Amino acid sequence: MNSNVLVTRRIPDESIGMLEAACGVVDVNPHDRAMTREEFLAAARDRDGLLCLLTEDIDDEVLDLSPDLKGVAIYAVGYNNIDVDACTRRGIPVTNTPDVLTDTTADIAWALMFAAARRVAEGDRYVREGRFSGWGPLLMLGSDVTGATLGIVGAGRIGTATAKRAAGFSMPIVYASRRRSEAIERLGARYLPLDDLLRESDFVSLHVPLTTETTHLISERELDLMKSTAYLINTTRGPVVDEKALVRALRDGVIAGAGLDVFEREPELEPGLADLENVVMLPHVGSGTVATRIRMGNTAAANLIAMVNGADPPNCVNPEWKEYRT
Ligand code: GLV
Ligand code: GLV
């Protein structure tokens, strides 16, 4: 009850309430924006727990500020912004919010597939700008989703949930992954090396976490392997795709289009990207439904409360932290 925690951005009230009931001090970023690095460093000093977002880097400099830090809870499933090894070496557990956002994020991958293939955002702009002058047989034609081959890259929870939805659209599924996955194969997905998946798929949907191995996993060479009629969908992390190469591929017709929820240098866009009609973009809202954001907040809060109380948190990503606790 005496713990002192920092929450780096306003999250749903219910989750803040959980923290207030369990901790002595709960400081929440008062601004309606991410903290600057300076603000974060000033606020992160002498804390027992940190509840942070994908917008704050957690590294040695941050960890040095709180000698008694008992845990870092991230309000996200992806935790590439956290130096997990640095936390582990100090005996600090790190948690994320898996499971609760799986279906919501799989839904957005589908929203982007349809939006890209059927030109939904482009069509909306067209109508809104008063350019729609009547039905035409060749007006704004797109590509079929039904029956197309879906390529899933990364057969984790979200990749598998995305594959599951393909049954309703009669789509053959192929997948590439570090490991074979029974769960996705039960859905009829066929395992392929990445290069073959890129050659065969009509939609390539990315679901790998961002690591040093997956940075620029999709670059010029990979885009060249894709069909010129295919679409690339990215709902994971921007740096998995070489955005410069993607702009060139979209401009030169190397692929038909793309649907992006994430960007390489978020929130900045690669020059040229926003000038292209064959890309549809969202502001990183994959998990962005009211219900899911509450579930993520409550999950992150429950993880943090367990950690500041010295209990095992439900969603620990570095269980080996215990070997280093002094
Ligand atoms: C959001 O991008 C997340 O990792 O939860
Ligand atoms: C995320 O939860 C994933 O494993 O895809």
Side-chain angles (χ1 to χ4, degrees):
M1 189 65 209
N2 297 319
S3 341
N4 175 329
V5 304
L6 173 69
V7 181
T8 62
R9 186 84 180 254
R10 213 187 122 212
I11 59 172
D13 289 343
E14 194 176 308
S15 322
I16 298 289
M18 285 171 64
L19 291 168
E20 284 173 345
C23 304
V25 176
V26 180
D27 288 323
V28 182
N29 170 6
H31 308 291
D32 185 20
R33 56 165 172 78
M35 289 178 137
T36 64
R37 178 74 177 174
E38 290 66 37
E39 288 167 346
F40 178 50
L41 290 176
R45 186 174 293 283
D46 292 327
R47 300 292 181 176
D48 299 302
L50 295 176
L51 194 157
C52 59
L53 315 180
L54 53 89
T55 42
E56 284 92 40
D57 287 335
I58 305 288
D59 50 20
D60 279 312
E61 188 183 11
V62 173
L63 299 172
D64 280 343
L65 298 170
S66 299
D68 297 324
L69 191 66
K70 295 185 187 68
V72 177
I74 179 167
Y75 179 92
V77 66
Y79 49 87
N80 51 284
N81 56 312
I82 300 185
D83 185 342
V84 176
D85 289 341
C87 294
T88 303
R89 282 196 304 272
R90 292 162 192 256
I92 298 170
V94 175
T95 61
N96 67 342
T97 61
D99 304 319
V100 295
L101 47 61
T102 299
D103 285 318
T104 301
T105 308
D107 288 351
I108 210 85
W110 279 89
L112 286 171
M113 273 189 252
F114 277 104
R118 301 301 302 274
R119 305 172 67 173
V120 171
E122 189 187 348
D124 179 82
R125 283 192 295 275
Y126 186 82
V127 174
R128 230 174 252 283
E129 288 165 9
R131 289 190 280 146
F132 179 39
S133 56
W135 189 87
L138 299 179
L139 176 63
M140 211 168 274
L141 306 185
S143 307
D144 281 312
V145 174
T146 297
T149 296
L150 174 61
I152 299 282
V153 180
R157 287 167 284 234
I158 298 170
T160 303
T162 302
K164 189 172 171 192
R165 287 155 172 71
F169 299 101
S170 313
M171 297 170 82
I173 310 164
V174 292
Y175 80 101
S177 195
R178 263 186 318 165
R179 275 181 238 98
R180 297 287 287 256
S181 153
E182 251 181 66
I184 201 164
E185 289 187 10
R186 271 200 300 273
L187 300 170
R190 185 162 53 89
Y191 176 82
L192 283 181
L194 179 60
D195 285 2
D196 293 329
L197 176 143
L198 295 168
R199 288 188 192 99
E200 284 192 27
S201 301
D202 298 304
F203 293 88
V204 174
S205 190
L206 304 176
H207 302 283
V208 291
L210 177 62
T211 64
T212 45
E213 289 83 46
T214 63
T215 300
H216 285 192
L217 180 70
I218 303 298
S219 194
E220 186 176 352
R221 190 190 78 88
E222 290 71 27
L223 292 161
D224 280 342
L225 292 176
M226 287 175 66
K227 297 184 189 178
S228 59
T229 50
Y231 296 84
L232 180 70
I233 307 299
N234 190 5
T235 54
T236 176
R237 285 290 182 269
V240 172
V241 176
D242 177 344
E243 220 166 75
K244 272 195 183 8
L246 178 63
V247 168
R248 282 196 303 268
L250 289 169
R251 197 167 42 210
D252 300 345
V254 173
I255 64 172
L260 308 175
D261 185 42
V262 289
F263 302 90
E264 193 169 351
R265 287 175 309 282
E266 236 167 88
E268 268 176 61
L269 296 184
E270 176 63 28
L273 193 57
D275 303 327
L276 297 165
E277 285 288 13
N278 57 347
V279 59
V280 51
M281 299 182 281
L282 291 174
H284 201 154
V285 289
S287 63
T289 65
V290 174
T292 291
R293 289 288 165 84
I294 291 173
R295 284 195 296 262
M296 288 167 68
N298 294 357
T299 301
N303 279 317
L304 193 63
I305 292 165
M307 291 188 286
V308 296
N309 288 314
D312 278 331
N315 306 109
C316 190
V317 304
N318 62 337
E320 60 293 356
W321 68 271
K322 277 189 187 166
E323 296 161 30
Y324 295 82
R325 190 106 196 195
T326 45

